[in-house]
């Protein structure tokens, strides 16, 4: 049996191995045919020469990544072990910095590779599409970027919108005034804001119009200047709605459009405005498109498994 010995130099083994050797357990799961032993500052692996060579290459990539970011987690390890090159998981150090300090000093930062790519893309472009399944942090990261832009006085207001797809006949049966009827559709946006802005200040911002949360239909006829604008759940826009929204962009504005093309709630035979826009605008300079996937899921680990399970069914169809 062949043996490979790797020594951790200028790396703290405890941090590299993870709490209760969690990172080593992940390595063992990904290389089941190797016997992997971690002791002190050494990792020993036993097995076939070809597998050991691949293990050595991936471990080198992990050590380089750890040396650069001083952090390893399940998402990073999975990316490194399945990527063709470091371009698939490396981003600038700046994109991994704290985006904004939230309520009670909570540090809000991009947690995965593609979230960091979203941060970078928003820095370079005035319009960005963030596409991916539920739980990948598209909206949350976007709201954090919007709050930072407001705090830094890069914009004068934040506008958050989403299509209220079910807001046809069902809306009339809900109790309350228009705001109360629409608020349930906007709840994910409120949830993100409450993490980042103290309750009293948030209420004041909403009252004076510094932060506006409204259904997409309310955007018609407006020109959105000096604003960070987020269109959430963009897959549920029609062609007309998407075109209307995109042409609202005014001076000194930042537009972020998020959505999951796999979860369209529009009536049958309706074309998703998001899917269409991704095709029509893919070669337009100044527009960024970031694709997140199940490796970016930062909710409960079961969410990742649910996405995978449904993907296998959808692929058969």
């Amino acid at each position: 049996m062949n043996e490979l010995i790797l020594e951790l130099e200028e790396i703290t083994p405890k941090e590299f191995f993870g709490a209760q050797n969690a990172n080593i357990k992940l390595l063992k799961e990904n290389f089941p045919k190797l016997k992997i032993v971690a002791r002190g500052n050494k990792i020993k692996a036993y097995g076939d020469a070809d597998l050991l060579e691949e293990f050595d290459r991936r471990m080198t990539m992990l050590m380089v990544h750890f040396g650069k970011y001083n952090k390893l987690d399940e998402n990073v390890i999975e990316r490194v072990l399945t990527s063709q090159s470091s371009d698939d998981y490396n981003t600038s150090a700046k994109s991994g910095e704290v985006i904004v300090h939230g309520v009670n000093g909570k540090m809000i930062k991009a947690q995965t590779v593609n979230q960091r790519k979203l941060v970078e893309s928003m820095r370079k472009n005035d319009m960005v599409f963030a596409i991916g399944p539920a739980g990948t942090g598209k909206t949350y990261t976007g709201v954090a970027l919007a709050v930072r832009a407001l705090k830094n006085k890069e914009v004068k207001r934040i506008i958050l919108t989403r299509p209220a797809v079910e807001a046809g006949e069902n809306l009339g049966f809900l109790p309350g005034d228009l705001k109360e009827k629409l608020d349930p559709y906007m709840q994910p946006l409120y949830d993100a804001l409450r993490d980042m802005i103290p309750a009293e200040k948030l209420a004041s911002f909403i009252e004076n119009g510094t932060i506006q949360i409204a259904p997409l239909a309310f955007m018609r006829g407006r020109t959105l200047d000096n604003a960070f604008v987020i269109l959430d759940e963009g897959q549920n826009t029609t062609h007309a709605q998407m075109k209307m929204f995109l042409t609202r962009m005014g001076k000194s504005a930042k537009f972020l459009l998020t959505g999951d093309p796999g979860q369209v709630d529009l009536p049958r035979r309706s074309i998703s405005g998001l899917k269409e826009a991704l095709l029509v605008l893919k070669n337009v300079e100044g527009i960024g498109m970031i694709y997140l996937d199940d490796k970016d899921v930062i909710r409960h680990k079961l969410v990742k498994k649910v996405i995978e399970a449904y993907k296998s069914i959808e692929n058969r169809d």
Side-chain angles (χ1 to χ4, degrees), residues 51-176:
L51 268 178
L52 287 176
E53 189 178 329
E54 175 66 7
F55 181 73
D56 188 17
R57 188 168 77 87
R58 297 294 179 178
M59 284 300 298
T60 301
M61 292 162 79
L62 279 171
M63 286 189 273
V64 168
H65 184 90
F66 186 86
K68 188 174 180 182
Y69 297 101
N70 204 33
K71 183 185 176 185
L72 275 187
D73 58 33
E74 183 180 348
N75 282 304
V76 169
I77 292 171
E78 195 171 347
R79 286 263 177 211
V80 172
L81 295 180
T82 57
S83 296
Q84 295 300 313
S85 73
S86 61
D87 291 341
D88 293 337
Y89 59 84
N90 270 343
T91 53
S92 73
K94 197 167 181 63
S95 68
E97 293 174 356
V98 174
I99 299 173
V100 69
H101 286 90
V103 176
N104 298 323
K106 181 178 180 179
M107 291 190 294
I108 295 165
K109 58 170 76 175
Q111 295 186 47
T112 70
V113 173
N114 286 326
Q115 287 178 16
R116 290 197 291 269
K117 286 180 179 177
L118 172 56
V119 172
E120 284 187 13
S121 189
M122 283 304 314
R123 189 181 292 121
K124 295 173 185 173
N125 302 289
D126 287 336
M127 183 181 290
V128 174
F129 288 80
I131 309 303
T136 51
K138 309 178 297 293
T139 302
Y140 196 83
T141 304
V143 171
L145 289 167
V147 171
R148 180 177 71 180
L150 183 66
K151 284 187 173 181
N152 292 345
K153 295 185 167 49
E154 294 164 15
V155 297
K156 291 181 180 176
R157 54 192 171 147
I158 295 172
I159 298 171
L160 307 174
T161 186
R162 61 191 309 197
V165 171
E166 302 88 346
E169 59 182 11
N170 292 342
L171 201 60
F173 295 103
L174 292 172

Side-chain angles (χ1 to χ4, degrees), residues 8-67:
L8 302 180
E9 296 176 0
E10 298 179 14
I11 291 176
T12 308
K14 189 177 179 182
E15 292 179 6
F16 189 84
F17 294 165
Q20 298 179 325
N21 281 2
N23 295 341
I24 300 300
K25 288 173 187 170
L26 277 175
L27 291 173
K28 288 178 178 179
E29 286 172 14
N30 280 275
F31 288 92
K33 292 183 179 179
L34 293 180
K35 183 183 178 184
I36 300 169
V37 179
R39 269 198 200 98
N41 69 333
K42 290 180 181 175
I43 297 173
K44 294 181 181 179
Y46 306 88
D48 292 343
D50 289 349
L51 268 178
L52 287 176
E53 189 178 329
E54 175 66 7
F55 181 73
D56 188 17
R57 188 168 77 87
R58 297 294 179 178
M59 284 300 298
T60 301
M61 292 162 79
L62 279 171
M63 286 189 273
V64 168
H65 184 90
F66 186 86

